[in-house]
Amino acid sequence: MRRPTLAITPGEPAGIGPEIALAAASRFAEGSGAARLVLVADRGLLAGRATELAMNLEFVDYLADRAPPAGAVEVLHVPLAVTSRPGHLDPRNARYVLATLDAAIDVCQRGQADALVTAPVHKAVINDAGVAFTGHTEYLAERSCGHPVMMLAAPELRVALVTTHLPLSAVPAAIRQPLVEKVTRIVDHDLRQRFGIEQPRLQLCGLNPHAGEGGHLGLEDDAEIVPAVAALKRTGLRVEGPWPGDTAFVPSRRKRFDATIAMYHDQGLAVLKALGFGDAVNVTLGLDLIRTSVDHGTALDIAGRGEAECESLLAAIDMAAALARTSLGNRA
């Protein structure tokens, strides 16, 4: 089986994304790693950041049908709007960030890359530029087929979300039986097809404290989540819940399941990041392409100083490569 090709978007140009992407790419250019990396970014930005950080790298244009010279870093060039300085946001580059995503999605959908790996973007500056942007997951949903499901995976825990970047006040109205069922089916499907788990074991968190306490602490659990679990079980899925959010993650319970499905963002991700920050990988399920991401932000305060560590990006790359190999094997 050929090595999978991964399209890497460095995200916000003023953040640490370009330097951690360069650090990761340099390791793979030296011949280590089981994937071919392509940085989708402004070539001058990458070259300038490499010079600032005393990284001696050779950059070449990405050609899908031709292997790069040994030791070279492949780049799919997308031009910046204006010169970017580490630590200094500029709304004029917001559309550049989205253009890198579009270019990376395009090569994936054309079959010239097998997966997308994203470094962090800065949502506020994109919105300040007049572009409505909720997050990578939602943006990918507009550009690809399927229903996106955010899942973070750490060595000892996988957490998927029914809702993602919603204000907490909007979450209860979004928790409806059809959505809970849909997300759970996507998680089950992708754990089988991409993670190679034959019979995934899933648990669902409740929405309210004590999973609603029989209706005394909210109606959504009994009205929406309980019937969803029952319907899913009738179709043969191995699913349990809803469990109260404060007990679903205790070690003796979470170890029984291949993934936990939380109802909203902080219910699941606060626990996961407390247990596995730096080792966790953000995986978008339910799409026609494979996408993974780091579990941290743009870190503007240390950008350009050479202090950023690329371990989270390397973990995202390793997972994307593994998922791509599984997908390629299923097609063979």
Side-chain angles (χ1 to χ4, degrees):
M1 186 183 299
R2 65 174 174 81
R3 288 197 310 162
T5 298
L6 310 182
I8 316 294
T9 55
E12 169 54 49
I16 63 171
E19 60 198 85
I20 63 174
L22 288 168
S26 66
R27 296 191 190 187
F28 279 72
E30 292 167 1
S32 60
R36 177 182 181 182
L37 304 191
V38 179
L39 303 190
V40 185
D42 183 280
R43 185 167 176 166
L45 167 71
L46 297 174
R49 201 63 54 87
T51 298
E52 292 167 5
L53 297 171
M55 301 175 71
N56 185 21
L57 299 175
E58 176 190 0
F59 297 94
V60 297
D61 292 332
Y62 169 59
L63 298 173
D65 59 352
R66 190 177 307 169
V73 174
E74 295 185 272
V75 179
L76 177 58
H77 175 66
V78 178
L80 278 166
V82 295
T83 301
S84 177
R85 290 191 298 148
H88 297 270
L89 294 172
D90 192 325
R92 291 175 294 178
N93 279 325
R95 294 187 185 277
Y96 155 79
V97 172
L98 300 182
T100 64
L101 279 174
D102 288 335
I105 293 168
D106 287 343
V107 295
C108 288
Q109 293 181 332
R110 289 198 299 264
Q112 295 173 334
D114 301 297
L116 167 64
V117 182
T118 59
V121 298
H122 197 285
K123 297 174 191 174
V125 77
I126 296 175
N127 283 278
D128 289 345
V131 180
F133 183 83
T134 308
H136 272 117
T137 304
E138 293 80 5
Y139 191 81
L140 286 165
E142 296 176 2
R143 282 292 324 270
S144 58
C145 299
H147 178 95
V149 173
M150 180 187 292
M151 184 178 81
L152 264 74
E156 297 183 3
L157 180 64
R158 299 186 186 97
V159 178
L161 305 177
V162 173
T163 63
T164 53
H165 300 115
L166 285 181
L168 194 56
S169 60
V171 170
I175 301 301
R176 294 292 179 262
Q177 181 178 346
L179 178 61
V180 174
E181 289 189 36
K182 186 173 190 175
V183 169
T184 305
R185 291 185 189 282
I186 289 169
V187 174
D188 178 83
H189 175 273
D190 280 19
L191 288 179
R192 294 173 187 266
Q193 295 299 314
R194 292 184 174 173
F195 287 79
I197 301 173
E198 291 186 8
Q199 291 186 310
R201 300 162 298 166
L202 308 175
Q203 66 164 340
L204 272 67
C205 295
L207 173 66
N208 296 293
H210 301 180
E213 195 78 73
H216 294 288
L217 294 176
L219 303 176
E220 294 85 0
D221 295 274
D222 286 345
E224 307 294 341
I225 305 174
V226 169
V229 171
L232 292 163
K233 283 184 174 180
R234 287 195 294 271
T235 64
L237 268 68
R238 300 177 67 185
V239 56
E240 296 184 19
W243 304 124
D246 63 348
T247 60
F249 294 101
V250 299
S252 60
R253 175 164 287 169
R254 71 172 188 263
K255 289 179 181 178
R256 293 167 42 202
F257 299 97
D258 297 300
T260 296
I261 299 176
M263 294 299 117
Y264 57 93
H265 188 278
D266 286 12
Q267 181 185 53
L269 299 196
V271 177
L272 184 135
K273 291 193 177 185
L275 291 173
F277 186 75
D279 296 320
V281 176
N282 186 344
V283 186
T284 305
L285 309 179
L287 300 180
D288 60 355
L289 57 84
I290 294 168
R291 178 256 175 166
T292 66
S293 183
V294 297
D295 68 346
H296 58 72
T298 54
L300 296 168
D301 57 324
I302 63 169
R305 298 182 181 180
E307 299 175 8
E309 297 180 352
C310 66
E311 275 66 27
S312 182
L313 181 59
L314 290 172
I317 288 169
D318 287 343
M319 180 166 288
L323 296 178
R325 283 193 295 271
T326 300
S327 180
L328 291 169
N330 288 338
R331 290 184 225 153

